[in-house]
Amino acid sequence: MNVFEKLGCLQKVSRSIVLVVFCFFAGLSFSQPKELLKKLRYHQKEDTVKAKLYYEIARNSFGMDTRLYKAYTDSSFQLATKLKFSRQIALTHAAYGFYYTLTNEWGKTIHHLKKSDSIYKKMGGNDFLIIKNQAYYTNYYKFIGDYDKALENSLKILRYYEKHNLKEDQAKELGEVAILLSDLSRSAEAEKYFRKSVAMLRELKDTMQLSRMLLNLGAEISGKDQYAEAEAYIGEALEFQKKLNDQEHILSCKMNLASIYSETNRPHKALQLANECDAVYEMYSDTIRMVMLSMYKSVAYRSLKQYDKAIEGLKLRYPLIKGNPRHLGLESNVQREFYHVYKAMGNTDLALKYLEGSKALFEANQDAEIQRAISRAREEFETEKKQKENERLKQENLLKDLQINQRNYFIYGSVLLILLICVIAVIALRNNRLKSEKATVEMEQRLLQTQMNPHFIFNVLHAIHTSMLKHDTEESGKLLTSFARLVRSILQHSSINNISLSEELNWLKDYIRLQQLRFSDSFNFTIDIDEAISPDNLLLPPMLIQPFIENAIEHGFSDLDKPGELYISYRKNKNEVEIRIADNGHGFTSDDLNKIKEHESMAVQITEKRINLLNKRRKGAFKFEIVSTPNEGTNVLFSIPYLTLFD
């Protein structure tokens, strides 16, 4: 075995440089940063396009300036959150997860990745993006030293790519699996996966990723003394990298070749490449690679019998990692090289001293890994134990809750019914107290009175009570919930100028469903919304159309010899929204309009007065008309301004 018989950790370091870049850029297609910044400068609108531009600039900033990467990710996240752009929010959470892997803030990494996964799952149909996030989890498991878990996760990703025949992603993930197998000292399996990845990348003609995987494969088999084949692979990778002008990976290739040259008695070539790399790594203060290169040069100097230079180089770099518990394996290898140099010089005492030191460091590193593995196993056992205990307690509590619910549901329903009656009483008292207030408030309360028709309330409560007596507790609970939500909506909206269409639709659906309950489902309803309208964005006066919906149900469908059909639509027409309420009820002539029952007349009068009040603020922007044909039905048409929450 050569001087670096325990050099597996060094080879892992070299490969990990390739791996990190390899994983992050996998599948990405970058634009030039200047082009993206130019697009951003001329794109003034705060929309989804701008949120995507921020994100693309952030990705392009990776590897150049992590502060810019974080700043543009922040901008993308803030704008996407403002726009409620779910997919972009999920992407930026994943980007944050990657950023915090760079800063070793693994708690924040996991937090953001879980946020991203959660959003993708809610959106549905995003398995591919969830799988992409798993690569970051793999890095996390590697960081905490759980390479078995990292391998399990990476194999899961690979199986997904194989199942969906995603060749490019499959080729890259084969390389990730290979590196993890190498980290677990399963060299034969690692080589097998590396070769599969190389073969697939050749077929795909992916030059950039192929060059990196050739470097990985060469580094792997050089650790098994297959120097000729390793040199061929790394040399091929170097030629690709020169064409791509990828300086980082050019250095990685040269560094691996320097190691091979030093091991195959070509010291001058080894020293030439090692010195080229050392000058760059020293400029960037890359201590790990500086130490590794000092060892490569030491082997070359030993071949030339220039022992003083070998010792001088090792002593210069050794203090950079000496005593660092994170680099016990590397320090062990440095001391082993000291041993070989002093042994070649004939200094037995110093040689034995460094050999014993190397052995002690190696054993300490092994003990530390064992302790970490034990700690992880203990932690996983305790976590699993707690999860099982929590699940058991959860099941017991669920069973107890079900038993209590079965025994007390009727009592709860009665209490809720009393509370609802109290709410209604409070509403009546409130209406009486507010009669003397300003005209606008009076109109709002009169509108509230028409909406809270006591006859309607009595019939709904009677239907709920009947359901409870039948012991249909589930249906009763649903009805009570719908009715309580409707009462709360009416109270909340009675004094608000505008609400969103989505809020309007919520109370409207509750109201119509309760009316269906009253009339034994004798009619159906349809709500149609123009695709140009965003329900969360459109604002409109609350409950404006309710009196006419009630008219259609109460009188239009009364004694109708066919199923009633109620149609409600919202259409955008330039700067207006057209609302239509149509039914297939009895209808009436224009002469009959003044003969409508008292409640209906009050609804029309209140709506007219309310429209007049609204027009004082909006200069005639609100309009409505009633068109009816006997035996065919009635149409009520509203035209209101197109007002939005977000411009």
Side-chain angles (χ1 to χ4, degrees):
M1 183 67 70
N2 58 57
V3 64
F4 297 121
E5 57 184 316
K6 300 298 182 183
L7 202 54
C9 61
L10 303 184
Q11 292 166 342
K12 290 176 193 175
V13 172
S14 178
R15 282 195 303 274
S16 69
I17 303 170
V18 179
L19 173 62
V20 171
V21 179
F22 174 78
C23 288
F24 178 67
F25 288 106
L28 302 183
S29 176
F30 293 111
S31 303
Q32 290 297 322
K34 289 183 179 179
E35 294 177 4
L36 292 171
L37 289 169
K38 184 178 179 181
K39 288 181 181 179
L40 180 64
R41 187 163 56 250
Y42 289 106
H43 192 89
Q44 300 298 322
K45 192 175 181 181
E46 298 286 305
D47 57 5
T48 58
V49 174
K50 193 169 188 177
K52 291 177 181 178
L53 276 173
Y54 281 135
Y55 178 70
E56 289 300 322
I57 295 171
R59 293 200 307 172
N60 277 270
S61 300
F62 169 77
M64 295 182 292
D65 190 331
T66 54
R67 290 176 301 176
L68 280 179
Y69 175 82
K70 175 68 161 53
Y72 280 109
T73 300
D74 287 341
S75 297
S76 180
F77 176 74
Q78 290 163 7
L79 182 54
T81 302
K82 178 181 177 182
L83 298 172
K84 298 180 181 179
F85 187 11
S86 297
R87 189 177 188 277
Q88 195 63 35
I89 295 172
L91 284 171
T92 50
H93 272 301
Y96 279 131
F98 176 73
Y99 171 78
Y100 288 117
T101 64
L102 300 179
T103 58
N104 292 334
E105 297 178 79
W106 295 99
K108 292 182 179 180
T109 292
I110 295 301
H111 167 76
H112 283 287
L113 291 178
K114 286 184 176 179
K115 282 276 189 182
S116 179
D117 288 346
S118 175
I119 295 171
Y120 286 142
K121 288 176 182 176
K122 287 179 182 178
M123 290 171 61
N126 288 280
D127 289 347
F128 177 74
L129 294 172
I130 294 174
I131 284 292
K132 283 291 184 183
N133 279 357
Q134 290 299 312
Y136 298 119
Y137 286 104
T138 300
N139 287 340
Y140 168 70
Y141 293 132
K142 286 166 63 178
F143 172 78
I144 64 174
D146 194 346
Y147 286 95
D148 289 314
K149 186 69 175 178
L151 177 61
E152 178 185 341
N153 200 59
S154 189
L155 286 170
K156 173 185 174 182
I157 298 171
L158 178 60
R159 285 193 292 271
Y160 177 89
Y161 292 150
E162 290 174 341
K163 179 180 178 181
H164 294 84
N165 198 32
L166 301 171
K167 295 292 186 181
E168 292 184 6
D169 295 299
Q170 184 181 341
K172 295 161 192 172
E173 199 61 32
L174 282 167
E176 171 69 13
V177 171
I179 291 170
L180 289 167
L181 287 167
S182 180
D183 290 336
L184 291 165
S185 300
R186 293 161 63 175
S187 182
E189 294 173 84
E191 182 182 344
K192 176 182 174 183
Y193 277 90
F194 276 132
R195 292 187 184 279
K196 282 184 178 180
S197 179
V198 167
M200 191 170 287
L201 289 168
R202 286 192 192 280
E203 182 182 340
L204 293 168
K205 297 180 180 179
D206 188 342
T207 304
M208 181 174 67
Q209 303 299 347
L210 173 60
S211 64
R212 295 171 184 174
M213 199 50 58
L214 286 167
L215 173 56
N216 284 335
L217 176 56
E220 180 64 36
I221 63 177
S222 69
K224 298 190 288 185
D225 299 342
Q226 299 174 19
Y227 296 120
E229 189 178 9
E231 183 179 348
Y233 285 132
I234 297 172
E236 185 181 0
L238 179 59
E239 291 305 312
F240 281 131
Q241 294 298 344
K242 285 180 178 178
K243 293 177 182 178
L244 295 167
N245 196 28
D246 187 339
Q247 294 301 318
E248 182 178 355
H249 291 92
I250 288 172
L251 284 172
S252 294
C253 291
K254 288 182 176 180
M255 187 171 173
N256 278 274
L257 287 173
S259 173
I260 292 173
Y261 292 152
S262 67
E263 293 295 332
T264 54
N265 200 27
R266 288 177 282 177
H268 294 293
K269 281 190 172 184
L271 289 170
Q272 179 186 351
L273 290 180
N275 286 328
E276 288 180 20
C277 296
D278 199 24
V280 178
Y281 289 134
E282 186 173 10
M283 182 171 60
Y284 290 104
S285 300
D286 192 333
T287 56
I288 301 299
R289 284 155 191 82
M290 288 161 63
V291 173
M292 291 167 61
L293 285 165
S294 72
M295 296 171 66
Y296 297 162
K297 288 192 282 187
S298 178
V299 175
Y301 283 131
R302 277 198 290 114
S303 298
L304 297 170
K305 302 188 184 303
Q306 296 179 14
Y307 303 122
D308 290 341
K309 289 185 177 181
I311 294 295
E312 180 184 357
L314 290 173
K315 285 184 176 181
L316 179 65
R317 302 303 191 198
Y318 179 39
L320 297 175
I321 55 135
K322 185 177 181 181
N324 190 328
R326 295 179 60 187
H327 304 309
L328 292 175
L330 181 55
E331 187 177 355
S332 172
N333 289 325
V334 173
Q335 293 213 13
R336 182 173 288 270
E337 177 56 19
F338 271 118
Y339 156 73
H340 282 291
V341 177
Y342 282 119
K343 180 181 177 183
M345 294 172 65
N347 192 334
T348 306
D349 291 338
L350 280 176
L352 290 175
K353 174 187 173 182
Y354 279 106
L355 180 61
E356 290 173 357
S358 176
K359 181 180 178 183
L361 287 167
F362 176 76
E363 290 175 350
N365 188 46
Q366 293 294 100
D367 290 341
E369 289 183 1
I370 291 170
Q371 288 302 318
R372 285 195 292 270
I374 292 172
S375 297
R376 288 196 304 273
R378 184 182 292 113
E379 183 179 343
E380 289 177 359
F381 173 76
E382 291 298 330
T383 301
E384 184 178 357
K385 183 179 178 182
K386 288 179 181 178
Q387 288 176 343
K388 288 182 178 179
E389 180 65 17
N390 290 338
E391 186 63 29
R392 184 183 66 80
L393 292 173
K394 183 178 178 182
Q395 292 296 330
E396 289 181 359
N397 291 334
L398 182 61
L399 181 60
K400 289 178 182 178
D401 289 342
L402 288 173
Q403 292 172 344
I404 292 171
N405 287 339
Q406 289 176 350
R407 186 172 59 251
N408 297 327
Y409 204 100
F410 184 79
I411 297 174
Y412 295 157
S414 299
V415 171
L416 184 57
L417 185 60
I418 292 170
L419 289 174
L420 288 173
I421 293 172
C422 291
V423 170
I424 296 168
V426 169
I427 293 171
L429 291 172
R430 187 176 179 218
N431 287 339
N432 292 330
R433 183 170 55 84
L434 295 176
K435 284 182 179 179
S436 61
E437 292 189 2
K438 294 180 181 180
T440 303
V441 177
E442 182 180 354
M443 287 303 304
E444 291 172 350
Q445 298 312 313
R446 291 181 66 188
L447 176 64
L448 179 61
Q449 290 174 4
T450 63
Q451 290 159 350
M452 292 298 294
N453 186 317
H455 183 64
F456 163 72
I457 293 170
F458 174 82
N459 282 307
V460 170
L461 292 178
H462 179 72
I464 294 171
H465 186 251
T466 301
S467 178
M468 292 175 67
L469 291 176
K470 293 179 180 179
H471 299 291
D472 190 353
T473 55
E474 183 177 356
E475 182 64 18
S476 300
K478 290 180 180 178
L479 294 173
L480 283 169
T481 299
S482 294
F483 185 63
R485 192 164 56 227
L486 177 61
V487 172
R488 183 180 62 190
S489 296
I490 292 171
L491 288 174
Q492 287 177 340
H493 298 160
S494 63
S495 59
I496 297 175
N497 289 334
N498 292 296
I499 61 173
S500 69
L501 177 57
S502 59
E503 292 175 307
E504 176 86 353
L505 294 175
N506 287 338
W507 79 260
L508 188 58
K509 290 175 182 176
D510 283 333
Y511 175 77
I512 296 175
R513 285 170 184 151
L514 288 170
Q515 289 283 29
Q516 285 180 319
L517 169 68
R518 285 185 57 202
F519 293 100
S520 304
D521 291 319
S522 62
F523 69 92
N524 300 312
F525 74 96
T526 301
I527 299 177
D528 186 16
I529 302 172
D530 192 343
E531 292 182 356
I533 294 176
S534 170
D536 291 325
N537 198 22
L538 178 64
L539 297 177
L540 70 170
M543 307 178 189
L544 188 63
I545 65 173
Q546 185 271 342
F548 297 98
I549 293 174
E550 184 173 352
N551 282 349
I553 296 171
E554 296 275 354
H555 306 292
F557 300 150
S558 177
D559 299 322
L560 195 66
D561 57 0
K562 59 184 176 181
E565 296 291 341
L566 178 63
Y567 177 80
I568 304 166
S569 69
Y570 297 81
R571 290 281 180 271
K572 185 176 184 296
N573 183 9
K574 297 181 180 179
N575 294 323
E576 296 182 340
V577 176
E578 295 178 349
I579 307 173
R580 178 185 172 209
I581 306 102
D583 66 66
N584 65 341
H586 296 295
F588 52 85
T589 65
S590 57
D591 294 334
D592 293 331
L593 183 58
N594 295 325
K595 299 178 182 179
I596 299 175
K597 294 180 181 179
E598 179 182 358
H599 179 67
E600 294 176 283
S601 176
M602 184 170 62
V604 174
Q605 291 172 14
I606 288 175
T607 301
E608 287 177 341
K609 290 181 180 179
R610 192 174 178 194
I611 291 292
N612 290 335
L613 287 172
L614 290 169
N615 281 330
K616 288 180 180 179
R617 294 197 299 266
R618 302 290 296 192
K619 297 182 179 179
F622 292 80
K623 304 169 188 175
F624 90 103
E625 64 174 327
I626 302 173
V627 179
S628 185
T629 303
N631 301 320
E632 292 186 11
T634 301
N635 281 269
V636 180
L637 305 174
F638 281 85
S639 177
I640 67 174
Y642 182 73
L643 181 63
T644 59
L645 182 61
F646 302 107
D647 293 336

